[in-house]
Amino acid sequence: MIEASSAHSGVAEPKPTASRPCKVLIWHWGRRGGGVRYTYELVRELKKHSELELHLSLSRQGDIIADFDALGLPGYHVDTYTNVSSAILALLRVPVVRHRFWRYVREHDISVVVCTMSHLWNVPTLWRKPRDVAYVFVLHDPKPHAGDDIAIRKWMLDTEIAASDGIVALTDYTQKSVTTNNGFPAERVWIAPLGVFPYAETRSPTSTRTGRKVQLLFFGRLLPYKGLDILLDAYTIMKREGKDVGLRIIGPGDIEPYRAQIAGLEDVFVDNRWIPEEDVGAVFEGIDIVVAPYRGASQSAVLATSGAAGIPAVVTPVGGLAEQVLHEQTGLVAADSTPAAVAAALSRLVDDEALRLRCGAAAKAHSMSELSWSAIAAKFASILTSITPRQKSEAQ
């Protein structure tokens, strides 16, 4: 869906010439997590495309703002917030930030603004978007996650989708959802998968024939939709069957709903905190299988990391997870989202070391090719040099 030249395709003939590159502003005001890393990896590769002139708009409180500064790109950066109280006070500054943001776009003759991940300030900022500036929205999730799905969050996401001139979806699942449920024109939605998160890509998979337990990893925020309770029940089944496994649960969030399940289990390690960017790679050391037992998800940044590290994954068949994990090639997709099905899939990889190592090697190869940032940036460059703002009739 990347290449298109029809007048009705949502893009026009490429605008830049050798003497006048397309001026693009990459925008993300989040401070930490997958959105910041996604933005950095994308920008680093897009910077290599001479047909683009890149500008940035980031949060000065971002975890890796120094890494962005090292790229040497111009931009308009803002002070956002660091906690709930500062977030409330910061709302008073949004009108001024919005005015300066669009003034920067005008003064630098920027024709395309790309938001790499939604932020609470996006909607009030977009209310003043110039009509002749194309807005491209990278859509990670077509709806808020369970637990974040309060009415205002859904309204804000739907509003941002409606304000977009083009959408880059990370999975087929997201593309189908936004065209079906939001009525967004299919010819203005492109698919570019979530790229490699290189936190642990230097890790070397090792055999477990030395007698150590096969280590399973659940990594990420503890939210109900991520199905930690499903995994704990599956782990219970495996232990009853005599599987020699251990489980690591690492990430921030409310651990209390799971304490009773964990208390009765052996070989479970819990690190209930936010893991700083520089420590993420260490989380995957000694891990044999990553588990994503989600009840629903369009994609997972954890899988983008584990694949690059050569670790096979077991996922439930929901959302776009089955697009990230190729069944019996880079991991296993459980038959359904029940503990029994997750236990069965995990047991296959635990019992068959050859399959486990083969899937791990294939996951790494897949990450380095189809999911490389150079390939993803090439797709973005094609979109950015040809997209045009939607006409009023199209937006309606």
Side-chain angles (χ1 to χ4, degrees):
M1 297 180 66
I2 297 300
E3 300 296 337
S5 58
S6 167
H8 302 289
S9 66
V11 297
E13 290 298 318
K15 294 177 290 185
T17 65
S19 60
R20 189 177 186 278
C22 177
K23 297 185 177 183
V24 177
L25 184 142
I26 308 293
W27 173 28
H28 179 50
W29 287 343
R31 294 184 299 114
R32 62 185 188 178
V36 178
R37 173 54 59 179
Y38 176 95
T39 304
Y40 175 78
E41 298 296 338
L42 178 63
V43 168
R44 187 171 63 171
E45 285 299 324
L46 284 176
K47 185 174 181 285
K48 300 174 183 177
H49 286 256
S50 60
E51 70 271 32
L52 303 176
E53 179 186 305
L54 294 184
H55 297 248
L56 303 177
S57 186
L58 309 166
S59 168
R60 291 193 183 95
Q61 286 70 45
D63 280 354
I64 57 172
I65 188 67
D67 292 344
F68 281 103
D69 289 342
L71 295 176
L73 295 172
Y76 167 66
H77 302 327
V78 305
D79 290 308
T80 52
Y81 46 81
T82 56
N83 52 42
V84 175
S85 59
S86 65
I88 294 172
L89 291 173
L91 288 173
L92 299 174
R93 294 189 283 105
V94 171
V96 174
V97 170
R98 176 180 61 206
H99 172 74
R100 292 175 178 172
F101 178 82
W102 292 118
R103 184 176 67 187
Y104 182 93
V105 169
R106 282 296 194 205
E107 288 177 349
H108 292 82
D109 195 26
I110 290 166
S111 60
V112 183
V113 170
V114 181
C115 175
T116 54
M117 193 172 190
S118 189
H119 184 270
L120 291 175
W121 288 4
N122 283 20
V123 168
T125 300
L126 286 170
W127 286 340
R128 298 291 185 180
K129 182 185 83 69
R131 290 185 178 180
D132 59 342
V133 175
Y135 177 61
V136 177
F137 182 32
V138 180
L139 187 59
H140 295 244
D141 302 292
K143 59 183 179 180
H145 294 305
D148 290 335
D149 54 351
I150 56 177
I152 187 66
R153 292 297 294 270
K154 185 178 187 307
W155 173 81
M156 293 180 76
L157 183 59
D158 288 344
T159 301
E160 192 162 5
I161 290 170
S164 302
D165 297 297
I167 287 176
V168 175
L170 300 187
T171 60
D172 290 335
Y173 167 80
T174 298
Q175 188 267 350
K176 292 172 184 175
S177 179
V178 75
T179 55
T180 301
N181 299 329
N182 294 83
F184 200 87
E187 66 272 14
R188 284 183 173 268
V189 183
W190 299 270
I191 300 171
L194 182 61
V196 170
F197 280 18
Y199 298 114
E201 63 182 0
T202 58
R203 171 195 176 277
S204 298
T206 57
S207 169
T208 57
R209 289 174 184 162
T210 57
R212 72 175 179 85
K213 298 179 186 301
V214 175
Q215 291 295 324
L216 316 179
L217 173 66
F218 176 96
F219 180 42
R221 286 198 302 160
L222 305 184
L223 294 172
Y225 82 89
K226 291 194 175 180
L228 177 56
D229 56 321
I230 296 173
L231 174 56
L232 290 170
D233 284 342
Y235 185 75
T236 300
I237 294 171
M238 296 174 71
K239 280 295 194 180
R240 286 174 181 168
E241 294 176 348
K243 304 299 180 186
D244 194 19
V245 294
L247 172 61
R248 298 183 196 176
I249 301 168
I250 302 178
D254 185 6
I255 194 70
E256 292 305 319
Y258 312 103
R259 284 202 184 277
Q261 283 177 287
I262 294 171
L265 296 173
E266 294 182 350
D267 306 312
V268 176
F269 170 80
V270 177
D271 188 356
N272 186 209
R273 65 187 174 95
W274 176 268
I275 304 300
E277 173 105 358
E278 61 271 18
D279 295 337
V280 171
V283 169
F284 294 85
E285 287 297 328
I287 296 301
D288 300 293
I289 307 170
V290 164
V291 196
Y294 299 175
R295 290 183 166 86
S298 53
Q299 44 73 36
S300 169
V302 174
L303 299 176
T305 303
S306 63
I311 303 173
V314 167
V315 302
T316 45
V318 298
L321 296 187
E323 297 177 48
Q324 287 187 278
V325 175
L326 307 180
H327 185 57
E328 297 184 338
Q329 297 178 56
T330 65
L332 297 178
V333 180
D336 54 51
S337 299
T338 62
V342 173
L346 283 169
S347 294
R348 277 192 66 191
L349 288 182
V350 169
D351 295 340
D352 190 341
E353 184 179 58
L355 174 64
R356 187 169 71 247
L357 293 176
R358 186 167 66 248
C359 284
K364 189 175 186 68
H366 180 66
S367 296
M368 296 300 107
S369 54
E370 285 86 347
L371 305 183
S372 70
W373 287 105
S374 59
I376 292 167
K379 294 180 180 181
F380 266 87
S382 176
I383 297 166
L384 301 180
T385 55
S386 53
I387 191 167
T388 58
R390 281 201 285 171
Q391 300 300 311
K392 189 174 181 180
S393 58
E394 288 184 272
Q396 290 175 342

